[in-house]
Amino acid sequence: MIGLGALVSTILLGADGYALIVSNNRSLDLARPDLRYADDDGAQWAQLFSEVLGPDRVELLTRFDPESRLLHPEWTDGAEPPTLDTLERSVARLETRLDEGRAKNRPVDVYLVFAGHGDIAEGVGFIELEDARFDANALESLIARLSGAAHVHLVLDSCNSYFMLNPRSPRVERWEPPAKSHQSLLEKYPHVGAIISTSAEALTYEWSEIQSGVFSYQLRSALRGAADGDADGSVTYIEMEAFVETANRLVENELYRPNVYARAPADDDDAEFIDARQSNSVTLKLGLDSQRRLTFRDQRGVRLMDVHKERATALLLRLPREQMIDFTESIRGVERPELDVL
């Protein structure tokens, strides 16, 4: 076990940004089974952003099931239900904060994460909230209200998430868009970047082993440093996309393989998604010496991150402070190593 809180002094938070996370297990369609881990994903996304932005700059809309309430007690009291009404109030608060930042001449980034059931109706993509569908038109209206943000970073983890950004003709059964095809919402709002779980009409999956949606878990691993190939503390869109694609390369069944699509603000692949150097997390260094495959869990057994480090590369990993973190090495014949805590 690594006791993180006592080992490193706190780094002052300097990022100007806010995060809104909306996750929902339930479906409005009685024929569609409930998800198990969208609420867990919401809590883990909130934890990650709170380390970088500060907990007072993170809002979580979700309804925890009893098991998840026990695993994430620090988020259960402050979470509000994922309804249209609470979403409206959260967006209104974001608008106020953007106005305050603009008055101080300070640029502000906004992070939006949606995780839950998604589908298409009459050519329009939607994500299910607890009481209504939140469709592509509603998302565009939300983005328009955040025009005062320097950048909006959008994460969509749902089936058919591609069609939250792009229309599809209702007469077409299946459509596989070219990689650089016209992206309607992102073209209208060039300050918006997006990383989504499907690049066409496709499903996404949860996995009980990680108690999470597969795509969300991989993105969080990437943002905690597993994708930071140059170890500079900044994780870019292209680093995130490459990490997810590499992580899924060996999934033989295409049905279960995430087909990630990423586009940075202004179509700049080197644009930064998050600056982890602003985080108050604890930083662990993996040196150049060897190939490593590590899994990190917190004191409740919640799996936080998987890392596959190649030889001759270094990584800086960031994990929650004030928690006991355990890690396992999955390469046979390698003794449990020590990690350098910076």
Side-chain angles (χ1 to χ4, degrees):
M1 286 280 191
I2 305 172
L4 299 183
L7 291 177
V8 185
S9 61
T10 301
I11 301 172
L12 294 178
L13 299 176
D16 266 358
Y18 296 93
L20 172 58
I21 298 101
V22 184
S23 64
N24 178 37
N25 283 336
R26 307 297 296 272
S27 174
L28 298 168
D29 184 349
L30 296 179
R32 182 178 287 143
D34 289 346
L35 298 171
R36 292 185 60 191
Y37 302 117
D39 53 344
D40 298 85
D41 276 324
Q44 294 234 50
W45 277 114
Q47 174 62 42
L48 187 149
F49 283 118
S50 71
E51 294 167 28
V52 179
L53 306 174
D56 60 331
R57 292 169 173 253
V58 178
E59 290 198 32
L60 173 61
L61 308 184
T62 196
R63 190 179 296 278
F64 287 107
D65 59 34
E67 180 183 39
S68 301
R69 185 176 292 273
L70 294 175
L71 288 175
H72 307 286
E74 63 275 21
W75 292 105
T76 54
D77 290 340
E80 296 188 81
T83 65
L84 278 178
D85 184 54
T86 55
L87 178 58
E88 165 60 31
R89 293 201 300 268
S90 294
V91 174
R93 285 191 289 270
L94 278 176
E95 288 181 289
T96 298
R97 288 168 162 175
L98 290 176
D99 289 340
E100 292 170 351
R102 189 158 38 196
K104 297 176 182 177
N105 200 28
R106 298 192 65 174
V108 177
D109 278 13
V110 173
Y111 296 88
L112 300 174
V113 178
F114 290 87
H117 281 296
D119 211 334
I120 313 168
E122 297 181 352
V124 178
F126 65 86
I127 291 174
E128 290 188 294
L129 301 181
E130 197 171 77
D131 60 345
R133 291 175 176 178
F134 182 77
D135 66 16
N137 298 319
L139 176 61
E140 184 169 339
S141 296
L142 188 161
I143 295 295
R145 294 171 63 181
L146 303 179
S147 60
H151 303 100
V152 176
H153 306 278
L154 179 63
V155 175
L156 298 176
D157 187 2
S158 69
C159 298
N160 302 304
S161 58
Y162 184 86
F163 301 102
M164 286 293 288
L165 304 181
N166 304 275
R168 188 197 76 166
S169 168
R171 296 184 298 275
V172 177
E173 291 298 319
R174 294 188 63 84
W175 177 47
E176 180 74 29
K180 295 297 183 180
S181 64
H182 178 73
Q183 311 301 319
S184 58
L185 187 148
L186 300 182
E187 288 291 343
K188 292 178 183 177
Y189 301 97
H191 71 300
V192 178
I195 183 160
I196 61 178
S197 52
T198 62
S199 62
E201 187 173 352
L203 304 178
T204 59
Y205 291 91
E206 300 182 314
W207 187 23
S208 60
E209 175 69 20
I210 59 176
Q211 295 177 292
S212 173
V214 174
F215 179 68
S216 279
Y217 180 79
Q218 291 175 342
L219 284 187
R220 290 193 301 269
S221 292
L223 292 170
R224 287 195 175 279
D228 187 11
D230 53 6
D232 66 351
S234 169
V235 182
T236 65
Y237 277 80
I238 197 168
E239 285 176 327
M240 293 169 66
E241 183 178 25
F243 176 85
V244 174
E245 288 181 347
T246 300
N248 294 296
R249 188 174 296 160
L250 297 181
V251 179
E252 295 182 0
N253 190 333
E254 185 178 356
L255 177 65
Y256 299 105
R257 187 187 311 131
N259 192 11
V260 62
Y261 171 82
R263 174 161 164 168
D267 205 15
D268 176 10
D269 286 340
D270 291 325
E272 177 182 273
F273 183 92
I274 206 165
D275 185 354
R277 292 168 296 186
Q278 305 291 344
S279 172
N280 74 342
S281 308
V282 166
T283 301
L284 304 178
K285 182 179 181 180
L286 299 182
L288 300 170
D289 54 343
S290 63
Q291 179 175 319
R292 308 289 292 276
R293 192 183 293 267
L294 299 167
T295 298
F296 293 86
R297 292 179 173 85
D298 69 12
Q299 68 268 31
R300 303 182 189 100
V302 175
R303 194 158 163 172
L304 298 174
M305 171 173 54
D306 275 68
V307 178
H308 183 194
K309 189 191 80 67
E310 299 293 341
R311 189 181 300 275
T313 62
L315 287 178
L316 295 179
L317 308 179
R318 288 172 168 83
L319 292 161
R321 186 179 302 275
E322 307 301 339
Q323 291 190 23
M324 298 299 294
I325 305 296
D326 196 18
F327 67 95
T328 56
E329 179 90 49
S330 62
I331 299 177
R332 293 181 179 178
V334 176
E335 295 182 1
R336 179 184 173 91
E338 293 297 324
L339 299 181
D340 296 328
V341 182
L342 302 183

